[in-house]
Amino acid sequence: LHIMQPAVPKATYTEPVNGTVIDFFEIDIRQFQAQTYPASSGVGPTTYVGYDGTAPGPTLRMTRGREAVVRFTNSYDRPSSIHLHGSYSRAPWDGWAEDVTNPNEFKDYYYPNHQPQRTLWYHDHAIGITAVNAYFGQAGFYILTDPNTPTTLPSGDYDVPLMIAAKQFNRDGSLFSPIDERVSLYGDVITVNGVPWPVQQVEPRKYKFRLLDASISRTFSLYLVDEAKPSVRLPFTVVGADAGYLDHPVTTDNLVIAMAERWEIVIDFALYQGKSLVLMNERKFQTNEDYPETDKVMKWTVAGTVTNTANNGPIATHLADLADTGSKTTIDHEFVFERQNGEWRINGVGFEDIPNRILAKPAQGRTERWRLTNKSGGWSHPIHIHLIDFKVLSRTGGRGAVTPYEAAALKDVVYLGENESVEVIAKYQPWAGVYMFHCHNLVHEDHDMMAAFNVTSVDL
Ligand code: C2O
Ligand code: CU
């Protein structure tokens, strides 16, 4: 298993008036080659375009309360825009799709880092080319930790980020480009941290994994088995989601993870000394297209002895007090996600429909309840709302109810399956400004299932 390098700050500044400490990072977007297929296969290297010459990009590790400025320089020939997914960034640094940085330009992004600890990720968001940019490598982890809320969950080397992404390659090892796709690109090769179907050797103890689905179009329905006994699904424990720890741990034997969702899980390998466990993906899940090996994600071999027993005890029964999202029984907005004349739309609007694309104007700090409805027939849409963390209140019409792990979480993406309606509630805060919301199937987002809302500082 490949673990991404941490980014190292280039400088640290102390703001002279109020003493705020700001770490300054610099990340370059450029083309590079890497051997993705085993060298022994005879398949040549893959050309990527990524952050600092790696795909996934370097992991930005941040501490709550310590601000950061990241300069992204664009040394490639396509425009870029960077969204820090999971951050309540102010609008000018949120990666607005039209706010592109052209080749040979740079932009400094300011990140407040004042939210509760969580797994974020930074990725491209440039208008019309987000799918191709993110797929060719412009995606990386951004991990925010909080030393003042100590965790009893596995940490350090036992806290492992896993970026899962389905890809499709050409015979020569180059990536098949999604540039002409209008529907979906499911991918027949499952990569984790950039490596197809990796294996990680683990000690017989608890580990925490920060799962992220960075695929263009593939949703996973994950389960865990002992390789020697593949018919029995093993339990694991969900402890975190998009907005950080769950209220309480949820033990399950199945986890649905859609594009851009983050779920943190704990697996106790102490129960499996000498065995190999495989993280599997259910076949025929919703609209996914399956290929011979898309039922497998990665493998863990359990060997050796435990070298560090820290945070290996029982998981606390209460993990975090979730932020208050307010309560409301009436619906403020219903948004219908559908396909019209070959284009993807929200209430009939696409992002290019500039005069009409602001679909909501919540007053700053106000609670709103939105109903998201999928009327596109045989397609699913993971819906991401920028700026805010929401609670998932209901799920009707499709594959079932809100899952126990969704019910214990605050989220910024929710999976909207075939024919489903989902209700979400949030406080529209902390900042005023215009923000995007969209389908995170990046082909749908580019064509053109994206709109905006305006958080207003005066009640309109
Ligand atoms: Cu992860 Cu608007 O995106
Ligand atoms: Cu979609």
Side-chain angles (χ1 to χ4, degrees):
L1 181 80
H2 167 75
I3 305 287
M4 290 74 74
Q5 288 302 309
V8 181
K10 282 248 154 68
T12 296
Y13 299 105
T14 304
E15 204 272 333
V17 179
N18 59 21
T20 306
V21 177
I22 302 174
D23 286 317
F24 176 73
F25 296 83
E26 231 181 283
I27 289 183
D28 184 40
I29 300 165
R30 60 172 179 262
Q31 185 175 312
F32 65 97
Q33 294 203 314
Q35 187 68 38
T36 306
Y37 278 75
S40 60
S41 68
V43 178
T46 306
T47 301
Y48 293 93
V49 178
Y51 300 123
D52 272 358
T54 68
T59 298
L60 287 157
R61 293 194 170 269
M62 301 287 175
T63 304
R64 187 178 187 185
R66 190 154 168 138
E67 303 184 351
V69 168
V70 186
R71 171 169 298 177
F72 286 92
T73 58
N74 188 351
S75 304
Y76 188 59
D77 65 8
R78 277 195 302 260
S80 68
S81 178
I82 286 92
H83 174 51
L84 178 55
H85 186 136
S87 168
Y88 58 28
S89 303
R90 290 213 180 236
W93 299 290
D94 194 49
W96 181 259
E98 288 152 335
D99 176 25
V100 295
T101 300
N102 285 311
N104 303 314
E105 294 179 349
F106 68 81
K107 175 167 173 167
D108 291 346
Y109 287 79
Y110 159 67
Y111 298 130
N113 293 340
H114 289 297
Q115 289 162 291
Q117 71 75 39
R118 62 183 61 195
T119 305
L120 307 91
W121 62 302
Y122 62 106
H123 65 80
D124 186 74
H125 218 301
I127 182 92
I129 51 170
T130 293
V132 65
N133 280 353
Y135 180 78
F136 271 82
Q138 290 176 56
F141 274 107
Y142 186 111
I143 291 174
L144 180 60
T145 52
D146 183 353
N148 295 319
T149 51
T151 171
T152 55
L153 295 169
S155 59
D157 289 345
Y158 305 106
D159 173 356
V160 184
L162 298 176
M163 185 185 292
I164 306 172
K167 308 266 183 194
Q168 187 174 324
F169 294 86
N170 300 313
R171 281 192 177 280
D172 63 358
S174 59
L175 276 164
F176 173 83
S177 174
I179 196 89
D180 296 322
E181 297 296 322
R182 292 294 178 271
V183 179
S184 280
L185 190 148
Y186 290 107
D188 60 337
V189 175
I190 309 301
T191 68
V192 180
N193 297 350
V195 177
W197 299 287
V199 181
Q200 183 186 21
Q201 187 177 321
V202 290
E203 298 175 6
R205 57 154 288 159
K206 287 196 172 89
Y207 281 68
K208 186 176 83 164
F209 297 99
R210 299 174 185 257
L211 308 178
L212 158 68
D213 178 5
S215 303
I216 291 193
S217 305
R218 182 177 291 283
T219 297
F220 293 83
S221 177
L222 300 172
Y223 63 99
L224 185 69
V225 300
D226 174 348
E227 196 172 33
K229 232 197 219 175
S231 59
V232 182
R233 293 185 178 205
L234 304 172
F236 54 90
T237 304
V238 188
V239 296
D242 308 343
Y245 296 137
L246 303 190
D247 173 84
H248 54 272
V250 174
T251 296
T252 182
D253 61 6
N254 172 240
L255 176 74
V256 175
I257 182 166
M259 294 71 90
E261 280 192 296
R262 287 87 74 211
W263 292 107
E264 299 182 22
I265 64 169
V266 171
I267 301 177
D268 189 358
F269 295 110
L271 310 168
Y272 310 109
Q273 173 71 271
K275 298 193 158 130
S276 289
L277 302 194
V278 186
L279 186 63
M280 303 287 295
N281 177 34
E282 220 174 291
R283 286 199 178 276
K284 297 202 172 72
F285 182 73
Q286 296 262 308
T287 58
N288 280 346
E289 232 167 66
D290 285 307
Y291 298 90
E293 304 294 331
T294 49
D295 60 340
K296 296 172 200 67
V297 177
M298 69 171 288
K299 193 196 284 195
W300 289 287
T301 56
V302 189
T305 53
V306 177
T307 57
N308 183 338
T309 55
N311 293 358
N312 196 25
I315 300 171
T317 53
H318 177 69
L319 295 169
D321 296 322
L322 301 189
D324 178 23
T325 51
S327 63
K328 196 157 197 186
T329 51
T330 53
I331 304 287
D332 294 281
H333 290 283
E334 168 150 30
F335 295 116
V336 176
F337 295 80
E338 53 192 340
R339 193 156 189 229
Q340 294 172 346
N341 308 319
E343 287 289 298
W344 303 96
R345 294 280 182 259
I346 306 173
N347 286 3
V349 169
F351 197 68
E352 274 159 32
D353 188 357
I354 293 169
N356 299 310
R357 69 186 178 186
I358 294 186
L359 295 183
K361 292 178 180 168
Q364 190 176 6
R366 184 71 60 83
T367 291
E368 291 210 346
R369 181 173 180 140
W370 290 7
R371 180 187 287 146
L372 312 172
T373 297
N374 184 354
K375 285 199 184 147
S376 61
W379 302 96
S380 55
H381 310 284
I383 306 304
H384 172 39
I385 307 175
H386 283 225
L387 180 70
I388 51 112
D389 300 329
F390 56 74
K391 211 165 174 25
V392 183
L393 296 177
S394 69
R395 177 187 291 287
T396 52
R399 79 203 139 92
V402 176
T403 59
Y405 46 87
E406 281 178 311
L410 287 183
K411 304 275 297 150
D412 55 40
V413 187
V414 66
Y415 181 70
L416 192 54
E418 292 169 75
N419 306 314
E420 282 184 337
S421 261
V422 166
E423 289 181 14
V424 300
I425 190 165
K427 284 191 177 165
Y428 284 76
Q429 58 185 31
W431 326 114
V434 180
Y435 289 88
M436 300 172 284
F437 72 106
H438 58 90
C439 176
H440 220 291
N441 177 327
L442 299 180
V443 176
H444 299 182
E445 173 180 340
D446 283 342
H447 302 280
D448 191 28
M449 197 174 254
M450 179 154 79
F453 58 97
N454 184 358
V455 181
T456 60
S457 52
V458 288
D459 205 342
L460 291 180

